[in-house]
Every structure is written in C-alpha cells, then in structure tokens.
Tab-separated table of all heavy atoms in Angstrom:
chain	number	residue	atom	x	y	z
D	1	MET	N	170.471	112.634	57.563
D	1	MET	CA	170.371	111.973	56.287
D	1	MET	C	169.193	112.581	55.531
D	1	MET	O	168.140	112.800	56.080
D	1	MET	CB	170.145	110.477	56.488
D	1	MET	CG	170.060	109.712	55.197
D	1	MET	SD	170.007	107.942	55.492
D	1	MET	CE	168.594	107.539	54.526
D	2	THR	N	169.419	112.788	54.278
D	2	THR	CA	168.341	113.224	53.403
D	2	THR	C	168.214	112.193	52.291
D	2	THR	O	168.955	111.213	52.264
D	2	THR	CB	168.647	114.608	52.794
D	2	THR	OG1	169.761	114.468	51.898
D	2	THR	CG2	168.940	115.636	53.858
D	3	THR	N	167.310	112.412	51.389
D	3	THR	CA	167.157	111.466	50.282
D	3	THR	C	168.383	111.456	49.382
D	3	THR	O	168.533	110.559	48.563
D	3	THR	CB	165.918	111.809	49.442
D	3	THR	OG1	166.031	113.152	48.994
D	3	THR	CG2	164.647	111.624	50.242
D	4	THR	N	169.282	112.419	49.546
D	4	THR	CA	170.481	112.463	48.716
D	4	THR	C	171.759	112.101	49.471
D	4	THR	O	172.834	112.127	48.882
D	4	THR	CB	170.649	113.859	48.088
D	4	THR	OG1	170.751	114.829	49.136
D	4	THR	CG2	169.491	114.196	47.177
D	5	THR	N	171.671	111.793	50.755
D	5	THR	CA	172.855	111.424	51.523
D	5	THR	C	173.397	110.094	51.030
D	5	THR	O	172.664	109.113	50.941
D	5	THR	CB	172.529	111.332	53.026
D	5	THR	OG1	172.017	112.582	53.466
D	5	THR	CG2	173.770	111.003	53.831
D	6	THR	N	174.678	110.072	50.701
D	6	THR	CA	175.275	108.843	50.188
D	6	THR	C	176.573	108.471	50.882
D	6	THR	O	177.140	107.420	50.614
D	6	THR	CB	175.559	108.967	48.680
D	6	THR	OG1	176.438	110.072	48.462
D	6	THR	CG2	174.267	109.146	47.894
D	7	SER	N	177.057	109.309	51.772
D	7	SER	CA	178.347	109.068	52.411
D	7	SER	C	178.231	109.243	53.917
D	7	SER	O	177.674	110.228	54.397
D	7	SER	CB	179.379	110.044	51.847
D	7	SER	OG	180.644	109.787	52.384
D	8	PHE	N	178.786	108.270	54.647
D	8	PHE	CA	178.728	108.285	56.099
D	8	PHE	C	180.108	108.052	56.679
D	8	PHE	O	181.017	107.592	55.991
D	8	PHE	CB	177.790	107.183	56.607
D	8	PHE	CG	176.371	107.373	56.164
D	8	PHE	CD1	175.928	106.832	54.970
D	8	PHE	CD2	175.493	108.109	56.931
D	8	PHE	CE1	174.629	107.003	54.536
D	8	PHE	CE2	174.188	108.299	56.507
D	8	PHE	CZ	173.756	107.745	55.311
D	9	GLY	N	180.245	108.356	57.949
D	9	GLY	CA	181.512	108.136	58.633
D	9	GLY	C	181.287	107.993	60.120
D	9	GLY	O	180.167	108.103	60.615
D	10	LEU	N	182.387	107.738	60.804
D	10	LEU	CA	182.360	107.557	62.258
D	10	LEU	C	183.255	108.575	62.922
D	10	LEU	O	184.303	108.932	62.376
D	10	LEU	CB	182.917	106.181	62.633
D	10	LEU	CG	182.172	104.958	62.207
D	10	LEU	CD1	183.013	103.726	62.504
D	10	LEU	CD2	180.865	104.883	62.953
D	11	LEU	N	182.864	108.992	64.103
D	11	LEU	CA	183.735	109.771	64.960
D	11	LEU	C	184.164	108.817	66.059
D	11	LEU	O	183.333	108.362	66.852
D	11	LEU	CB	182.999	110.987	65.532
D	11	LEU	CG	183.847	111.947	66.339
D	11	LEU	CD1	185.013	112.486	65.505
D	11	LEU	CD2	182.994	113.090	66.855
D	12	THR	N	185.430	108.461	66.089
D	12	THR	CA	185.925	107.483	67.046
D	12	THR	C	185.980	108.090	68.442
D	12	THR	O	185.955	109.324	68.596
D	12	THR	CB	187.331	106.994	66.656
D	12	THR	OG1	188.251	108.081	66.809
D	12	THR	CG2	187.363	106.439	65.248
D	13	PRO	N	186.067	107.249	69.476
D	13	PRO	CA	186.184	107.780	70.847
D	13	PRO	C	187.389	108.708	71.011
D	13	PRO	O	187.393	109.586	71.866
D	13	PRO	CB	186.336	106.525	71.709
D	13	PRO	CG	185.673	105.439	70.922
D	13	PRO	CD	185.959	105.790	69.475
D	14	GLU	N	188.402	108.535	70.155
D	14	GLU	CA	189.593	109.385	70.209
D	14	GLU	C	189.407	110.709	69.472
D	14	GLU	O	190.301	111.532	69.436
D	14	GLU	CB	190.804	108.648	69.598
D	14	GLU	CG	191.170	107.360	70.301
D	14	GLU	CD	190.288	106.175	69.903
D	14	GLU	OE1	189.732	106.170	68.791
D	14	GLU	OE2	190.131	105.274	70.737
D	15	GLY	N	188.226	110.885	68.851
D	15	GLY	CA	187.941	112.124	68.139
D	15	GLY	C	188.349	112.119	66.677
D	15	GLY	O	188.319	113.149	66.019
D	16	ARG	N	188.717	110.978	66.152
D	16	ARG	CA	189.124	110.859	64.741
D	16	ARG	C	187.912	110.539	63.878
D	16	ARG	O	187.112	109.675	64.219
D	16	ARG	CB	190.161	109.743	64.625
D	16	ARG	CG	190.711	109.578	63.254
D	16	ARG	CD	191.898	108.603	63.256
D	16	ARG	NE	192.172	108.221	61.885
D	16	ARG	CZ	192.195	106.973	61.444
D	16	ARG	NH1	192.000	105.974	62.276
D	16	ARG	NH2	192.428	106.716	60.185
D	17	TYR	N	187.779	111.222	62.733
D	17	TYR	CA	186.696	110.946	61.795
D	17	TYR	C	187.193	109.949	60.759
D	17	TYR	O	188.255	110.135	60.157
D	17	TYR	CB	186.236	112.228	61.087
D	17	TYR	CG	185.137	111.969	60.092
D	17	TYR	CD1	183.823	111.801	60.512
D	17	TYR	CD2	185.402	111.869	58.732
D	17	TYR	CE1	182.795	111.540	59.609
D	17	TYR	CE2	184.392	111.623	57.822
D	17	TYR	CZ	183.100	111.452	58.268
D	17	TYR	OH	182.099	111.196	57.370
D	18	VAL	N	186.434	108.876	60.575
D	18	VAL	CA	186.776	107.840	59.601
D	18	VAL	C	185.565	107.621	58.712
D	18	VAL	O	184.465	107.402	59.207
D	18	VAL	CB	187.150	106.515	60.319
D	18	VAL	CG1	187.579	105.466	59.317
D	18	VAL	CG2	188.226	106.737	61.363
D	19	ARG	N	185.764	107.657	57.414
D	19	ARG	CA	184.630	107.468	56.509
D	19	ARG	C	184.537	106.008	56.072
D	19	ARG	O	185.507	105.261	56.164
D	19	ARG	CB	184.714	108.406	55.315
D	19	ARG	CG	185.923	108.276	54.492
D	19	ARG	CD	186.050	109.406	53.464
D	19	ARG	NE	187.234	109.153	52.679
D	19	ARG	CZ	187.257	108.447	51.556
D	19	ARG	NH1	186.139	107.977	51.064
D	19	ARG	NH2	188.379	108.226	50.925
D	20	PHE	N	183.355	105.620	55.614
D	20	PHE	CA	183.107	104.272	55.132
D	20	PHE	C	183.377	104.181	53.635
D	20	PHE	O	183.259	105.177	52.917
D	20	PHE	CB	181.643	103.867	55.376
D	20	PHE	CG	181.317	103.637	56.818
D	20	PHE	CD1	180.558	104.544	57.526
D	20	PHE	CD2	181.756	102.503	57.474
D	20	PHE	CE1	180.237	104.335	58.855
D	20	PHE	CE2	181.446	102.276	58.803
D	20	PHE	CZ	180.689	103.199	59.496
D	21	ASP	N	183.672	102.972	53.157
D	21	ASP	CA	183.811	102.755	51.720
D	21	ASP	C	182.423	102.761	51.077
D	21	ASP	O	181.406	102.732	51.769
D	21	ASP	CB	184.564	101.451	51.424
D	21	ASP	CG	183.780	100.205	51.805
D	21	ASP	OD1	182.910	100.264	52.692
D	21	ASP	OD2	184.047	99.151	51.196
D	22	ASP	N	182.367	102.814	49.756
D	22	ASP	CA	181.086	102.925	49.051
D	22	ASP	C	180.118	101.770	49.329
D	22	ASP	O	178.942	102.012	49.594
D	22	ASP	CB	181.310	103.095	47.546
D	22	ASP	CG	181.892	104.457	47.206
D	22	ASP	OD1	181.720	105.401	48.015
D	22	ASP	OD2	182.513	104.585	46.141
D	23	PRO	N	180.565	100.496	49.286
D	23	PRO	CA	179.616	99.407	49.594
D	23	PRO	C	179.056	99.504	51.022
D	23	PRO	O	177.881	99.222	51.257
D	23	PRO	CB	180.442	98.135	49.399
D	23	PRO	CG	181.520	98.523	48.443
D	23	PRO	CD	181.831	99.959	48.790
D	24	SER	N	179.882	99.932	51.971
D	24	SER	CA	179.406	100.100	53.348
D	24	SER	C	178.367	101.213	53.431
D	24	SER	O	177.362	101.088	54.137
D	24	SER	CB	180.574	100.402	54.293
D	24	SER	OG	181.492	99.329	54.315
D	25	ASN	N	178.595	102.311	52.705
D	25	ASN	CA	177.619	103.400	52.671
D	25	ASN	C	176.271	102.898	52.163
D	25	ASN	O	175.230	103.241	52.710
D	25	ASN	CB	178.116	104.554	51.793
D	25	ASN	CG	179.137	105.406	52.498
D	25	ASN	OD1	178.998	105.741	53.659
D	25	ASN	ND2	180.192	105.742	51.786
D	26	SER	N	176.285	102.069	51.141
D	26	SER	CA	175.035	101.515	50.602
D	26	SER	C	174.324	100.657	51.638
D	26	SER	O	173.101	100.727	51.785
D	26	SER	CB	175.319	100.686	49.347
D	26	SER	OG	175.829	101.503	48.333
D	27	ARG	N	175.088	99.857	52.374
D	27	ARG	CA	174.495	99.011	53.420
D	27	ARG	C	173.902	99.864	54.536
D	27	ARG	O	172.841	99.558	55.066
D	27	ARG	CB	175.540	98.051	53.972
D	27	ARG	CG	175.907	96.969	52.961
D	27	ARG	CD	176.963	96.015	53.446
D	27	ARG	NE	176.563	95.334	54.661
D	27	ARG	CZ	177.417	94.844	55.542
D	27	ARG	NH1	178.709	94.950	55.346
D	27	ARG	NH2	176.983	94.225	56.623
D	28	ILE	N	174.582	100.938	54.900
D	28	ILE	CA	174.076	101.829	55.951
D	28	ILE	C	172.758	102.450	55.520
D	28	ILE	O	171.811	102.528	56.310
D	28	ILE	CB	175.115	102.913	56.299
D	28	ILE	CG1	176.318	102.263	56.984
D	28	ILE	CG2	174.494	103.993	57.190
D	28	ILE	CD1	177.513	103.165	57.119
D	29	ILE	N	172.655	102.887	54.281
D	29	ILE	CA	171.408	103.469	53.782
D	29	ILE	C	170.265	102.472	53.924
D	29	ILE	O	169.182	102.824	54.382
D	29	ILE	CB	171.571	103.933	52.321
D	29	ILE	CG1	172.502	105.150	52.263
D	29	ILE	CG2	170.216	104.259	51.693
D	29	ILE	CD1	172.963	105.524	50.868
D	30	GLU	N	170.507	101.216	53.587
D	30	GLU	CA	169.463	100.192	53.708
D	30	GLU	C	169.078	99.944	55.166
D	30	GLU	O	167.902	99.802	55.491
D	30	GLU	CB	169.911	98.884	53.048
D	30	GLU	CG	170.006	98.987	51.545
D	30	GLU	CD	168.726	99.490	50.904
D	30	GLU	OE1	167.630	98.977	51.235
D	30	GLU	OE2	168.802	100.413	50.069
D	31	VAL	N	170.060	99.915	56.062
D	31	VAL	CA	169.782	99.712	57.490
D	31	VAL	C	168.938	100.862	58.032
D	31	VAL	O	167.961	100.653	58.754
D	31	VAL	CB	171.093	99.573	58.294
D	31	VAL	CG1	170.839	99.654	59.787
D	31	VAL	CG2	171.802	98.270	57.950
D	32	VAL	N	169.302	102.084	57.678
D	32	VAL	CA	168.581	103.261	58.172
D	32	VAL	C	167.146	103.273	57.640
D	32	VAL	O	166.210	103.601	58.374
D	32	VAL	CB	169.331	104.563	57.798
D	32	VAL	CG1	168.480	105.789	58.085
D	32	VAL	CG2	170.648	104.635	58.552
D	33	LYS	N	166.964	102.896	56.396
D	33	LYS	CA	165.612	102.853	55.832
D	33	LYS	C	164.725	101.864	56.581
D	33	LYS	O	163.527	102.084	56.737
D	33	LYS	CB	165.663	102.469	54.353
D	33	LYS	CG	166.130	103.579	53.457
D	33	LYS	CD	166.147	103.113	52.015
D	33	LYS	CE	166.625	104.184	51.074
D	33	LYS	NZ	166.691	103.687	49.685
D	34	ARG	N	165.286	100.745	57.039
D	34	ARG	CA	164.514	99.723	57.735
D	34	ARG	C	164.318	100.019	59.216
D	34	ARG	O	163.428	99.459	59.844
D	34	ARG	CB	165.207	98.362	57.604
D	34	ARG	CG	165.139	97.776	56.216
D	34	ARG	CD	165.625	96.346	56.204
D	34	ARG	NE	166.896	96.176	56.893
D	34	ARG	CZ	168.064	95.942	56.296
D	34	ARG	NH1	168.132	95.839	54.998
D	34	ARG	NH2	169.160	95.806	57.006
D	35	ASN	N	165.156	100.862	59.802
D	35	ASN	CA	165.107	101.132	61.234
D	35	ASN	C	164.548	102.537	61.471
D	35	ASN	O	165.253	103.531	61.330
D	35	ASN	CB	166.509	101.002	61.832
D	35	ASN	CG	166.517	101.074	63.335
D	35	ASN	OD1	165.825	101.892	63.932
D	35	ASN	ND2	167.308	100.229	63.960
D	36	LYS	N	163.275	102.603	61.851
D	36	LYS	CA	162.588	103.894	62.011
D	36	LYS	C	163.282	104.788	63.037
D	36	LYS	O	163.407	105.996	62.838
D	36	LYS	CB	161.136	103.650	62.405
D	36	LYS	CG	160.285	104.884	62.364
D	36	LYS	CD	158.831	104.561	62.564
D	36	LYS	CE	158.015	105.814	62.346
D	36	LYS	NZ	156.604	105.534	62.220
D	37	LYS	N	163.759	104.208	64.137
D	37	LYS	CA	164.420	104.992	65.183
D	37	LYS	C	165.704	105.629	64.643
D	37	LYS	O	165.956	106.806	64.849
D	37	LYS	CB	164.726	104.090	66.382
D	37	LYS	CG	165.296	104.812	67.572
D	37	LYS	CD	165.463	103.848	68.739
D	37	LYS	CE	166.070	104.549	69.929
D	37	LYS	NZ	166.279	103.623	71.044
D	38	TRP	N	166.521	104.855	63.943
D	38	TRP	CA	167.750	105.391	63.371
D	38	TRP	C	167.425	106.450	62.332
D	38	TRP	O	168.094	107.466	62.251
D	38	TRP	CB	168.580	104.287	62.741
D	38	TRP	CG	169.333	103.443	63.718
D	38	TRP	CD1	169.083	103.298	65.047
D	38	TRP	CD2	170.453	102.627	63.432
D	38	TRP	NE1	169.962	102.424	65.597
D	38	TRP	CE2	170.822	101.995	64.626
D	38	TRP	CE3	171.169	102.351	62.281
D	38	TRP	CZ2	171.897	101.116	64.701
D	38	TRP	CZ3	172.230	101.479	62.358
D	38	TRP	CH2	172.590	100.873	63.560
D	39	ASN	N	166.404	106.199	61.532
D	39	ASN	CA	166.007	107.143	60.498
D	39	ASN	C	165.666	108.491	61.124
D	39	ASN	O	166.078	109.544	60.642
D	39	ASN	CB	164.825	106.587	59.701
D	39	ASN	CG	164.568	107.349	58.427
D	39	ASN	OD1	164.702	108.558	58.378
D	39	ASN	ND2	164.183	106.632	57.395
D	40	THR	N	164.936	108.462	62.238
D	40	THR	CA	164.568	109.698	62.937
D	40	THR	C	165.810	110.422	63.447
D	40	THR	O	165.949	111.629	63.273
D	40	THR	CB	163.611	109.395	64.105
D	40	THR	OG1	162.446	108.760	63.577
D	40	THR	CG2	163.208	110.657	64.840
D	41	TYR	N	166.725	109.687	64.087
D	41	TYR	CA	167.962	110.309	64.588
D	41	TYR	C	168.733	110.986	63.460
D	41	TYR	O	169.169	112.126	63.579
D	41	TYR	CB	168.883	109.266	65.236
D	41	TYR	CG	168.521	108.874	66.639
D	41	TYR	CD1	168.354	107.542	66.974
D	41	TYR	CD2	168.366	109.820	67.645
D	41	TYR	CE1	168.037	107.158	68.264
D	41	TYR	CE2	168.051	109.458	68.937
D	41	TYR	CZ	167.885	108.118	69.248
D	41	TYR	OH	167.575	107.751	70.519
D	42	ILE	N	168.894	110.289	62.360
D	42	ILE	CA	169.703	110.822	61.270
D	42	ILE	C	168.995	111.981	60.576
D	42	ILE	O	169.619	112.988	60.253
D	42	ILE	CB	170.090	109.693	60.294
D	42	ILE	CG1	171.076	108.768	61.014
D	42	ILE	CG2	170.690	110.248	59.021
D	42	ILE	CD1	171.451	107.534	60.246
D	43	THR	N	167.698	111.875	60.378
D	43	THR	CA	166.947	112.963	59.759
D	43	THR	C	167.029	114.232	60.597
D	43	THR	O	167.158	115.334	60.064
D	43	THR	CB	165.475	112.553	59.561
D	43	THR	OG1	165.441	111.386	58.743
D	43	THR	CG2	164.677	113.653	58.892
D	44	GLU	N	166.995	114.079	61.914
D	44	GLU	CA	167.072	115.228	62.817
D	44	GLU	C	168.514	115.640	63.115
D	44	GLU	O	168.748	116.537	63.915
D	44	GLU	CB	166.336	114.906	64.116
D	44	GLU	CG	164.838	114.725	63.905
D	44	GLU	CD	164.110	114.276	65.162
D	44	GLU	OE1	164.759	114.044	66.203
D	44	GLU	OE2	162.873	114.163	65.090
D	45	ARG	N	169.472	114.940	62.486
D	45	ARG	CA	170.907	115.211	62.679
D	45	ARG	C	171.327	115.074	64.134
D	45	ARG	O	172.158	115.828	64.640
D	45	ARG	CB	171.293	116.559	62.110
D	45	ARG	CG	171.072	116.627	60.621
D	45	ARG	CD	171.479	117.970	60.067
D	45	ARG	NE	171.236	118.002	58.644
D	45	ARG	CZ	172.181	117.902	57.726
D	45	ARG	NH1	173.421	117.778	58.077
D	45	ARG	NH2	171.873	117.939	56.449
D	46	THR	N	170.722	114.118	64.820
D	46	THR	CA	171.071	113.814	66.196
D	46	THR	C	172.189	112.778	66.184
D	46	THR	O	172.098	111.789	65.454
D	46	THR	CB	169.847	113.221	66.940
D	46	THR	OG1	168.777	114.153	66.853
D	46	THR	CG2	170.165	112.941	68.392
D	47	PRO	N	173.247	112.980	66.970
D	47	PRO	CA	174.316	111.975	67.006
D	47	PRO	C	173.750	110.607	67.393
D	47	PRO	O	172.877	110.500	68.251
D	47	PRO	CB	175.270	112.496	68.073
D	47	PRO	CG	175.020	113.963	68.113
D	47	PRO	CD	173.541	114.111	67.836
D	48	LEU	N	174.260	109.594	66.766
D	48	LEU	CA	173.799	108.234	66.988
D	48	LEU	C	175.004	107.385	67.353
D	48	LEU	O	175.967	107.307	66.591
D	48	LEU	CB	173.131	107.704	65.715
D	48	LEU	CG	172.599	106.292	65.718
D	48	LEU	CD1	171.493	106.129	66.756
D	48	LEU	CD2	172.058	105.945	64.335
D	49	LYS	N	174.975	106.790	68.537
D	49	LYS	CA	176.082	105.947	68.976
D	49	LYS	C	175.840	104.539	68.454
D	49	LYS	O	174.795	103.936	68.705
D	49	LYS	CB	176.171	105.942	70.504
D	49	LYS	CG	177.386	105.235	71.020
D	49	LYS	CD	177.507	105.402	72.524
D	49	LYS	CE	178.775	104.759	73.019
D	49	LYS	NZ	178.956	104.996	74.458
D	50	VAL	N	176.800	104.015	67.699
D	50	VAL	CA	176.690	102.689	67.103
D	50	VAL	C	177.942	101.883	67.404
D	50	VAL	O	178.976	102.427	67.786
D	50	VAL	CB	176.487	102.763	65.568
D	50	VAL	CG1	175.187	103.458	65.218
D	50	VAL	CG2	177.661	103.414	64.888
D	51	ARG	N	177.802	100.589	67.205
D	51	ARG	CA	178.948	99.689	67.312
D	51	ARG	C	179.168	99.104	65.920
D	51	ARG	O	178.258	98.489	65.352
D	51	ARG	CB	178.670	98.579	68.309
D	51	ARG	CG	179.834	97.656	68.473
D	51	ARG	CD	179.553	96.637	69.534
D	51	ARG	NE	180.735	95.828	69.714
D	51	ARG	CZ	180.769	94.745	70.414
D	51	ARG	NH1	179.683	94.331	71.035
D	51	ARG	NH2	181.875	94.066	70.523
D	52	VAL	N	180.354	99.326	65.384
D	52	VAL	CA	180.673	98.870	64.041
D	52	VAL	C	181.767	97.815	64.105
D	52	VAL	O	182.759	97.978	64.814
D	52	VAL	CB	181.156	100.043	63.159
D	52	VAL	CG1	181.625	99.554	61.813
D	52	VAL	CG2	180.057	101.068	62.996
D	53	ILE	N	181.556	96.739	63.376
D	53	ILE	CA	182.601	95.751	63.196
D	53	ILE	C	183.051	95.878	61.753
D	53	ILE	O	182.233	95.850	60.827
D	53	ILE	CB	182.089	94.331	63.491
D	53	ILE	CG1	181.667	94.245	64.954
D	53	ILE	CG2	183.164	93.289	63.165
D	53	ILE	CD1	181.006	92.946	65.340
D	54	GLY	N	184.324	96.075	61.570
D	54	GLY	CA	184.856	96.250	60.238
D	54	GLY	C	186.365	96.263	60.274
D	54	GLY	O	186.984	95.966	61.291
D	55	ARG	N	186.956	96.631	59.152
D	55	ARG	CA	188.408	96.681	59.074
D	55	ARG	C	188.843	97.908	58.280
D	55	ARG	O	188.166	98.312	57.332
D	55	ARG	CB	188.945	95.403	58.444
D	55	ARG	CG	188.580	95.229	57.006
D	55	ARG	CD	189.078	93.896	56.431
D	55	ARG	NE	188.843	93.828	55.015
D	55	ARG	CZ	187.658	93.656	54.437
D	55	ARG	NH1	186.587	93.522	55.187
D	55	ARG	NH2	187.527	93.618	53.136
D	56	PRO	N	189.956	98.490	58.674
D	56	PRO	CA	190.461	99.625	57.915
D	56	PRO	C	191.024	99.152	56.578
D	56	PRO	O	191.582	98.065	56.471
D	56	PRO	CB	191.560	100.197	58.811
D	56	PRO	CG	191.981	99.073	59.689
D	56	PRO	CD	190.791	98.169	59.824
D	57	GLU	N	190.816	99.954	55.565
D	57	GLU	CA	191.375	99.675	54.249
D	57	GLU	C	191.791	101.011	53.658
D	57	GLU	O	190.952	101.758	53.145
D	57	GLU	CB	190.342	98.972	53.377
D	57	GLU	CG	190.931	98.344	52.133
D	57	GLU	CD	189.960	97.433	51.441
D	57	GLU	OE1	189.669	96.352	51.988
D	57	GLU	OE2	189.481	97.826	50.357
D	58	GLY	N	193.061	101.324	53.795
D	58	GLY	CA	193.531	102.646	53.389
D	58	GLY	C	192.965	103.695	54.326
D	58	GLY	O	193.077	103.570	55.540
D	59	ASP	N	192.294	104.701	53.776
D	59	ASP	CA	191.737	105.764	54.603
D	59	ASP	C	190.238	105.605	54.852
D	59	ASP	O	189.574	106.543	55.278
D	59	ASP	CB	192.025	107.129	53.988
D	59	ASP	CG	191.373	107.309	52.629
D	59	ASP	OD1	190.970	106.306	52.024
D	59	ASP	OD2	191.284	108.467	52.172
D	60	VAL	N	189.699	104.412	54.589
D	60	VAL	CA	188.273	104.145	54.816
D	60	VAL	C	188.112	102.891	55.668
D	60	VAL	O	189.050	102.141	55.881
D	60	VAL	CB	187.489	103.971	53.493
D	60	VAL	CG1	187.541	105.225	52.661
D	60	VAL	CG2	187.994	102.785	52.701
D	61	VAL	N	186.871	102.674	56.136
D	61	VAL	CA	186.515	101.473	56.886
D	61	VAL	C	185.586	100.627	56.027
D	61	VAL	O	184.641	101.151	55.427
D	61	VAL	CB	185.824	101.829	58.218
D	61	VAL	CG1	185.260	100.590	58.885
D	61	VAL	CG2	186.777	102.542	59.144
D	62	VAL	N	185.862	99.336	55.959
D	62	VAL	CA	184.987	98.381	55.294
D	62	VAL	C	184.146	97.743	56.391
D	62	VAL	O	184.663	97.035	57.254
D	62	VAL	CB	185.786	97.312	54.518
D	62	VAL	CG1	184.846	96.296	53.907
D	62	VAL	CG2	186.639	97.975	53.454
D	63	MET	N	182.861	98.047	56.406
D	63	MET	CA	181.976	97.607	57.469
D	63	MET	C	181.505	96.170	57.242
D	63	MET	O	181.119	95.795	56.149
D	63	MET	CB	180.747	98.525	57.525
D	63	MET	CG	179.788	98.172	58.628
D	63	MET	SD	178.327	99.212	58.609
D	63	MET	CE	177.499	98.622	57.170
D	64	GLU	N	181.565	95.384	58.319
D	64	GLU	CA	181.025	94.031	58.289
D	64	GLU	C	179.646	94.004	58.927
D	64	GLU	O	178.752	93.323	58.459
D	64	GLU	CB	181.976	93.069	58.982
D	64	GLU	CG	183.294	92.920	58.240
D	64	GLU	CD	184.300	92.075	58.985
D	64	GLU	OE1	183.904	91.246	59.829
D	64	GLU	OE2	185.502	92.249	58.723
D	65	SER	N	179.475	94.773	60.021
D	65	SER	CA	178.165	94.877	60.662
D	65	SER	C	178.088	96.166	61.460
D	65	SER	O	179.113	96.765	61.803
D	65	SER	CB	177.888	93.676	61.575
D	65	SER	OG	178.731	93.702	62.696
D	66	ILE	N	176.854	96.580	61.750
D	66	ILE	CA	176.611	97.791	62.527
D	66	ILE	C	175.435	97.526	63.455
D	66	ILE	O	174.447	96.914	63.072
D	66	ILE	CB	176.350	99.007	61.605
D	66	ILE	CG1	176.259	100.302	62.407
D	66	ILE	CG2	175.117	98.796	60.741
D	66	ILE	CD1	176.295	101.551	61.557
D	67	GLN	N	175.575	97.942	64.708
D	67	GLN	CA	174.513	97.773	65.708
D	67	GLN	C	174.273	99.076	66.416
D	67	GLN	O	175.155	99.845	66.638
D	67	GLN	CB	174.901	96.726	66.742
D	67	GLN	CG	175.163	95.381	66.147
D	67	GLN	CD	175.677	94.409	67.189
D	67	GLN	OE1	175.924	94.751	68.328
D	67	GLN	NE2	175.839	93.166	66.799
C-alpha cells in the first residue's frame, strides 16, 4: 500500500482473485492506517492472511468485517 493505493482484493484459498467494492476499499484503508502491523505488511508488500466476512455482489465482495 502506498499513499495512493485505493483498491484491494483477496486471493481465495482456491487461487481466485476477488476485488472489494469501493466502500469496502475505504474501510480497509482506515483499518490499515490504525493497525501498525498491517500497515508494515502492506507497505513492504508482504502477503497478509486475513479473515473477511462479506457477501459477493456481482464481481466484487462487499465486506462486513475483516480480521
């Protein structure tokens, strides 16, 4: 993540890439800003394993929570 990163996605255990909708991307940016450990992982482009609760909506995921 850089100061200009605005779009995020997930790589599922099956190897499928799924992107988040715009409101979810905004929430992820706020979570990363508050979590120093996550910020470090993303800044260094280190894969980060997360648990996401959400629902598919077309070709994107609408995130309800992320851990």
Side-chain angles (χ1 to χ4, degrees):
M1 181 173 129
T2 67
T3 56
T4 59
T5 302
T6 59
S7 183
F8 297 89
L10 295 172
L11 185 58
T12 68
E14 300 80 26
R16 183 171 166 236
Y17 179 79
V18 183
R19 59 190 182 90
F20 289 107
D21 68 335
D22 290 337
S24 298
N25 282 317
S26 296
R27 289 179 59 205
I28 292 168
I29 290 168
E30 291 306 312
V31 168
V32 170
K33 285 180 181 177
R34 289 190 311 252
N35 188 318
K36 190 172 187 167
K37 185 176 178 182
W38 283 20
N39 193 323
T40 301
Y41 280 127
I42 291 174
T43 301
E44 294 175 357
R45 298 181 181 256
T46 303
L48 179 62
K49 187 173 183 176
V50 297
R51 181 176 184 190
V52 174
I53 297 174
R55 67 183 186 287
E57 194 169 289
D59 63 343
V60 298
V61 171
V62 177
M63 182 183 71
E64 294 174 23
S65 69
I66 187 168
Q67 300 174 355

